[in-house]
Amino acid sequence: MTTPLARRECTIPLVEVAVTEFDLACLPETGAVFDRLLALRPAQVVVDLSACRHIDAAAIGFLLDVHRRLTRADGVLTVREPNPRIWRILQSARLDHVLPVVGGDAAAGSPERPGPVAPPVGRAVVPGGGGGSRRPAPAGQVRARRPADWA
């Protein structure tokens, strides 16, 4: 993932990627998947972290790199449905200030930064297996995730 996308018209409106493992060990394979995905010039990429139980600093750096590449190509990266532990990690890294982090669970709290999530066009499961086939939340019901245990 070293070459940025050139500014071109987007070819597809949305690609959704379910990530089940997101750490340094899986980044080479994940990077190859995202290189192919970004070559499609999507207008928006949604990274579904609902089945992901761990994220490290290398994965956060990777998300920032994908965000930068998409922004240069007039695209948007959105992170969806991180569990409360991963949500806190993303917030401590201040990733939620750089790109939209949204969730479909109404019990998670009131929306802080609702993202421009549209119905999915494509779906891919990134390494680690068990990505499952979660049904995406309808665009009108997507809300920013805020753990209930926060004051």
Side-chain angles (χ1 to χ4, degrees):
M1 290 201 23
T2 58
T3 58
L5 294 173
R7 283 191 183 262
R8 291 183 251 163
E9 188 175 319
C10 295
T11 59
I12 55 177
L14 174 73
V15 176
E16 179 180 345
V17 180
V19 178
T20 58
E21 292 183 15
F22 214 10
D23 57 17
L24 182 62
C26 70
L27 283 187
E29 192 173 348
T30 304
V33 170
F34 272 86
D35 283 341
R36 290 189 304 264
L37 178 147
L38 294 176
L40 298 172
R41 298 186 319 264
Q44 181 176 16
V45 174
V46 176
V47 177
D48 186 341
L49 295 179
S50 60
C52 186
R53 299 292 163 234
H54 175 71
I55 190 170
D56 65 6
I60 291 170
F62 176 82
L63 286 172
L64 289 170
D65 184 52
V66 171
H67 166 71
R68 178 186 52 80
R69 291 174 65 190
L70 275 168
T71 300
R72 287 182 179 172
D74 295 325
V76 176
L77 175 67
T78 301
V79 174
R80 185 174 67 200
E81 296 190 26
N83 67 42
R85 184 176 152 292
I86 290 178
W87 173 258
R88 287 189 294 273
I89 291 169
L90 296 177
Q91 282 193 314
S92 66
R94 302 188 65 77
L95 195 68
D96 61 324
H97 292 279
V98 177
L99 54 96
V101 179
V102 297
D105 184 10
S110 61
E112 283 181 9
R113 295 182 64 184
V117 178
V121 171
R123 182 180 275 271
V125 176
V126 176
S133 59
R134 269 182 74 89
R135 193 178 90 231
Q141 295 179 2
V142 175
R143 296 194 172 119
R145 188 170 193 86
R146 183 182 175 125
D149 58 346
W150 283 27

